[in-house]
Amino acid sequence: MSNKDKTYDLNYKPTKEEIKKFPDIQNGPKALILGASVGIQQVGTHNFRLPLNYKKRNGEILELETRITGTVSLDAYKKGINMSRIIRSFYDYKDDLIFEKLKDILLKYKNDLDSFDAKIGLNFSYPIMQPSLRSNNQGYQYYNVSLEGSLTNEGVFKKILHFDFVYSSACPCSYELAEYAKKERNKLTVSHSQRSVARVSIEFDHIMWIEDIHQICLNALQTETQVIVKREDEMAFAELNGAYLKFVEDSARLLYEKLIENKNIKDFRVICSHQESLHSHDAISVILAPNSKFCGDVSHEVWSSLIHIS
């Protein structure tokens, strides 16, 4: 080892013929499988970042930093995959509108890696300008969005969008008890409310604008958290919370009522987390569309992510 040249050769560019002779631990004759010779459901790259293009409902194009997970299945007789091919597949489409090219990307790296299915996860923060309630102000609200795509060996393509909506939930029980104490005992009271999160997950075929999902959430729950707030806006928000008191069960059912009306949505799941100001624990609820294929048993990791986004 000590006799080897330790200098880095800036000018060395291997030819295609040289590259063919390079050792290939993944696919060469010495590709020994360690452990059980069984297939792997998903293997690939997680959380690599790329600026990708998204079209807004008004036609404007947004370039957003996107954290990407790309995976394929692996047959039992194969040691591994060429993971850089997944990343290169995204770079081939980085200037296109990603919603429109999702199936093409899946098909490309599924074929490149000779796999029987492929999956994509895109995670990004989506800005929507929101007006203040009463003052003449407005500001950007940012929404955590995830877009999932999957393509099976039979050619079945599925798209799922996850949208996180942060809102205030004023407790109906606390309100009534506070009003009783004011009226019957002349006590100054403040009923409790909390910042809450609804994760709306939808399966869709045709275009589903992120702005449409936001509007569904806003119409259902009304009390979205605010960006720029002056005194008149704070008063308005207090009134709004008083007009739309809700338990966590109410939030789930209100969202269900709006989502079931939208014919572009094939399937949906709603997860609500009311992050209590009265208790040291949260109140949670999950509701599914009729005959939903979504899982109703939500993992601890999902609940934890809902806590941390707000």
Side-chain angles (χ1 to χ4, degrees), residues 8-284:
Y8 178 70
D9 190 347
L10 288 169
N11 299 314
Y12 175 62
K13 297 291 183 184
T15 65
K16 289 183 179 179
E17 292 304 314
E18 283 182 288
I19 292 172
K20 288 179 182 179
K21 296 177 182 179
F22 288 174
D24 187 351
I25 300 300
Q26 296 283 47
N27 303 301
K30 295 183 180 180
L32 177 65
I33 293 174
L34 302 179
S37 295
V38 295
I40 299 176
Q41 284 71 39
Q42 289 182 260
V43 59
T45 59
H46 172 61
N47 232 16
F48 75 88
R49 293 181 297 173
L50 195 66
L52 295 176
N53 293 321
Y54 299 86
K55 182 186 281 189
K56 296 177 66 176
R57 187 172 58 184
N58 64 6
E60 180 185 347
I61 306 300
L62 288 180
E63 185 182 75
L64 301 175
E65 179 187 284
T66 304
R67 291 173 288 110
I68 302 168
T69 298
T71 64
V72 293
S73 52
L74 183 67
D75 287 314
Y77 64 88
K78 294 180 179 178
K79 182 173 179 65
I81 67 168
N82 185 334
M83 294 197 182
S84 69
R85 289 184 182 177
I86 294 176
I87 298 176
R88 294 202 305 269
S89 296
F90 280 91
Y91 271 86
D92 289 342
Y93 291 95
K94 67 180 178 59
D95 296 322
D96 295 309
L97 295 173
I98 196 65
F99 267 61
E100 298 174 6
K101 294 296 183 179
L102 204 60
K103 186 175 183 180
D104 294 334
I105 296 170
L106 282 164
L107 190 60
K108 178 174 174 53
Y109 74 71
K110 175 179 177 292
N111 291 339
D112 285 350
L113 294 162
D114 191 25
S115 174
F116 53 87
D117 63 22
K119 298 179 186 293
I120 285 174
L122 307 176
N123 299 284
F124 52 95
S125 184
Y126 190 86
I128 300 178
M129 184 68 76
Q130 292 298 297
S132 299
L133 290 173
R134 285 183 179 149
S135 67
N136 294 320
N137 290 291
Q138 57 181 354
Y140 279 109
Q141 192 84 274
Y142 283 83
Y143 302 88
N144 287 348
V145 180
S146 297
L147 177 63
E148 294 180 15
S150 62
L151 185 63
T152 68
N153 197 39
E154 294 76 28
V156 177
F157 175 55
K158 180 184 285 191
K159 289 186 294 187
I160 293 174
L161 187 142
H162 307 279
F163 180 85
D164 289 341
F165 183 81
V166 183
Y167 60 101
S168 171
S169 55
C171 176
C173 183
S174 178
Y175 172 79
E176 292 295 340
L177 290 170
E179 290 300 300
Y180 180 88
K182 286 179 189 177
K183 181 179 177 181
E184 300 298 328
R185 299 172 50 235
N186 195 34
K187 290 294 183 180
L188 180 64
T189 60
V190 177
S191 57
H192 83 85
S193 61
Q194 50 272 323
R195 189 182 298 179
S196 303
V197 188
R199 176 164 296 167
V200 176
S201 301
I202 65 164
E203 181 186 348
F204 64 104
D205 283 334
H206 305 293
I207 188 68
M208 193 74 199
W209 301 108
I210 294 172
E211 290 87 349
D212 290 343
I213 301 299
H214 168 258
Q215 195 61 54
I216 287 172
C217 293
L218 186 59
N219 290 344
L221 300 177
Q222 296 291 328
T223 53
E224 181 174 16
T225 55
Q226 301 295 297
V227 182
I228 297 178
V229 176
K230 299 183 72 174
R231 283 180 296 173
E232 59 265 41
D233 302 310
E234 188 161 1
M235 180 184 289
F237 195 63
E239 294 173 21
L240 198 61
N241 274 270
Y244 295 99
L245 302 165
K246 46 189 168 286
F247 294 121
V248 72
E249 300 92 336
D250 298 320
S251 295
R253 287 173 171 146
L254 287 164
L255 284 163
Y256 181 102
E257 184 179 48
K258 297 299 181 184
L259 290 164
I260 202 72
E261 296 174 352
N262 193 302
K263 302 306 179 186
N264 290 328
I265 298 174
K266 294 177 62 178
D267 192 5
F268 65 82
R269 179 183 65 190
V270 172
I271 306 170
C272 294
S273 175
H274 285 196
Q275 292 155 27
E276 291 278 346
S277 61
L278 170 63
H279 303 289
S280 57
H281 54 265
D282 300 332
I284 59 175

Side-chain angles (χ1 to χ4, degrees), residues 294-309:
F294 282 102
C295 179
D297 299 324
V298 179
S299 69
H300 170 74
E301 288 73 18
V302 173
W303 291 122
S304 296
S305 68
L306 287 173
I307 291 170
H308 289 115
I309 69 162

